[in-house]
Amino acid sequence: SGFAALLGESDSAVVRAEYLAICKKYSCVPFIEMKTENAEAIIRAVRKAGFRDDQVVISSTKLDWLVTVRKYSKSVFLHWIFALEDELDQLSALGNAGLSWNYTNCRECPKEKIELAHGMGLKVCLRAGDNVEDVKYMQELGLDYIPTNCMHE
């Protein structure tokens, strides 16, 4: 298994290759946030680094970019950052996908939002669980994955 990590500000091919090599070395799940519309290059880099498509998460704030990713890979997990409720059917139709709702504080997210997405076959997370209390609360909410910006013992 391992932990999910996030590609930082730079989206260059060199940084992407280094990031994927680190994920591979430490058996981590690459969590790649698209900063530009470059789906084909990302999928190519993932495969070159020795990952199967189903071992990677590709995320974006732009649903149309995730639609493009799906054209290059049927099995990569797609994550829509700050999803819009009225467009969830489009994300659901792509398959193997999830989303995050735009709540800074996880305690502000209504359980109904999570149930709505789950009812459409989507996985759900919220913003990063950066402390143990938030992670425990997110687990109680029934979130499917919990990104973090720090490691906990």
Side-chain angles (χ1 to χ4, degrees):
S1 6
F3 61 94
L6 183 65
L7 185 60
E9 293 280 323
S10 175
D11 197 23
S12 74
V14 171
V15 170
R16 189 170 42 248
E18 290 174 359
Y19 170 75
L20 290 168
I22 291 167
C23 289
K24 193 70 170 173
K25 179 178 179 178
Y26 294 102
S27 300
C28 299
V29 175
F31 196 112
I32 303 168
E33 180 178 349
M34 294 177 70
K35 302 286 188 180
T36 59
E37 190 175 11
N38 57 351
E40 185 177 13
I42 290 172
I43 295 296
R44 199 171 39 247
V46 161
R47 292 172 180 162
K48 184 176 180 180
F51 287 97
R52 296 187 323 264
D53 292 4
D54 65 352
Q55 295 176 309
V56 176
V57 177
I58 297 180
S59 68
S60 177
T61 58
K62 300 177 186 299
L63 180 58
D64 58 327
W65 290 7
L66 297 176
V67 170
T68 301
V69 171
R70 185 56 79 225
K71 292 177 184 175
Y72 293 101
S73 172
K74 299 299 180 202
S75 60
V76 70
F77 184 82
L78 303 175
H79 171 79
W80 189 12
I81 303 168
F82 307 151
L84 303 175
E85 193 170 323
D86 60 344
E87 296 180 38
L88 288 185
D89 57 333
Q90 293 176 51
L91 181 65
S92 180
L94 295 173
N96 196 28
L99 60 99
S100 60
W101 293 117
N102 191 6
Y103 290 95
T104 304
N105 181 339
C106 62
R107 287 162 180 76
E108 295 173 0
C109 181
K111 182 94 171 146
E112 295 78 24
K113 289 275 213 180
I114 297 163
E115 292 168 352
L116 171 69
H118 281 162
M120 299 178 80
L122 297 166
K123 295 187 186 279
V124 183
C125 78
L126 295 172
R127 288 190 181 190
D130 289 337
N131 62 64
V132 174
E133 294 79 24
D134 283 351
V135 169
K136 287 179 180 178
Y137 185 77
M138 290 176 179
Q139 289 173 320
E140 290 171 16
L141 282 175
L143 299 183
D144 301 288
Y145 52 112
I146 301 172
T148 187
N149 294 312
C150 56
M151 295 299 297
H152 303 282
E153 291 186 34

